[in-house]
Amino acid sequence: MGQHDKGNEGIDTWRREQLRQFVDKLTLDANACIRWALLDQALTDISLSAEYNNQHLEFFGDAVLRLAAAAFLREHYSQMAVGEMAAIRSQLVSDRTLTALAEKYDFSHYLNLANSAAGDQAGQASRLADAFEAVLGALYLSTDDMSLISPWLHEEFDRLTQMLQQDPARQNYKAALQELTQAHNKQLPEYRVVELSQTHGDPERFQAEVWYQGRLWGQGKGGSRKQAEQAAAEQALAKLSDALADGQDK
């Protein structure tokens, strides 16, 4: 990074200015109560330093991200069915979404990493997704609330949610169901798929069932195995969400 005069919290004045540019991209006020040292650490990859990196902040930021997504959906889409809400949340917090958002806000320009890692294009997406979660962790810990996160992230969540609602095929019910079952007791749902006898003009070639803890929770049909499994997962997600909320899963 070179030698520069030190500013507040032991950060180079050059780096501090760089971080100010970063928060400006997030539409945050640079005079807000931001813990700059934490933000600097959130944007420092483990490839650069084994002692000073963003791993712990990324771990914490994962929980912040899920809370932010759940709070957003509850506040702005309170009439949405729980199953659909879970499916959309699984997309909002996916690594693919985080990588896309990190690219939109040019995280790679501000992420400190070793030269060897910079040339590793295969690991780029994972590094950006991890850095995104780490930044959320740093911003939350700066104020102990969502005040530095909600103003810009909710706007992104709203755009993505509307897009997902317009194209239900993009909603990953299988991922949402897996997340729900693992959070409940670490068990995975089981999919049983059969190929149907074809009748003329019938596009639905497969039928899937979702079993969990010895019970059938959902059934669905589709033109492919994947479509049938998604349809069954959607039904299972709605039923299981209601059952867990009522304590009737056993």
Side-chain angles (χ1 to χ4, degrees), residues 1 9 37 43 80 87 120 130 133 167 218:
M1 182 181 291
E9 302 185 78
L43 290 166
M80 184 182 291
D120 175 23
D130 290 348
E133 289 181 332
D167 184 8

Side-chain angles (χ1 to χ4, degrees), residues 7-186:
N8 294 337
E9 302 185 78
I11 302 174
D12 288 338
T13 53
W14 175 85
R15 177 61 167 170
R16 179 67 174 267
E17 180 57 33
Q18 190 182 46
L19 293 175
R20 284 181 178 275
Q21 293 173 10
F22 175 74
V23 300
D24 186 58
K25 283 181 178 288
L26 301 181
T27 66
L28 295 176
D29 186 349
N31 293 318
C33 187
I34 296 171
R35 293 176 63 180
W36 296 101
L38 278 181
L39 187 58
D40 177 56
Q41 187 173 358
L43 290 166
T44 301
D45 187 67
I46 191 173
S47 65
L48 191 67
S49 171
E51 294 79 27
Y52 182 82
N53 58 67
N54 61 13
Q55 283 197 321
H56 282 87
L57 286 169
E58 181 254 325
F59 174 79
F60 182 75
D62 175 72
V64 174
L65 171 68
R66 293 176 183 277
L67 176 60
F72 162 78
L73 290 170
R74 184 179 184 277
E75 179 180 349
H76 297 280
Y77 292 88
S78 59
Q79 302 306 312
M80 184 182 291
V82 172
E84 183 181 5
M85 194 176 288
I88 288 180
R89 186 184 65 173
S90 72
Q91 293 288 70
L92 296 181
V93 304
S94 70
D95 281 354
R96 179 181 298 181
T97 295
L98 302 188
T99 300
L101 289 176
E103 289 175 343
K104 176 179 178 178
Y105 290 103
D106 200 17
F107 271 52
S108 60
H109 180 71
Y110 305 96
L111 182 61
N112 279 334
L113 68 166
N115 291 334
S116 57
D120 175 23
Q121 293 303 311
Q124 176 75 348
S126 177
R127 284 194 298 272
L128 289 177
D130 290 348
F132 192 92
E133 289 181 332
V135 165
L136 294 187
L139 293 177
Y140 185 94
L141 290 172
S142 292
T143 58
D144 290 325
D145 58 32
M146 294 287 186
S147 60
L148 296 175
I149 298 171
S150 298
W152 59 276
L153 190 57
H154 277 199
E155 182 177 332
E156 299 294 348
F157 281 165
D158 192 41
R159 174 180 61 81
L160 292 166
T161 299
Q162 291 184 43
M163 181 178 67
L164 289 166
Q165 286 185 311
Q166 292 167 8
D167 184 8
R170 298 185 64 162
Q171 296 182 25
N172 193 337
Y173 291 100
K174 286 185 65 177
L177 180 62
Q178 178 174 319
E179 180 181 333
L180 180 65
T181 57
Q182 285 191 310
H184 178 54
N185 67 359
K186 304 299 183 183

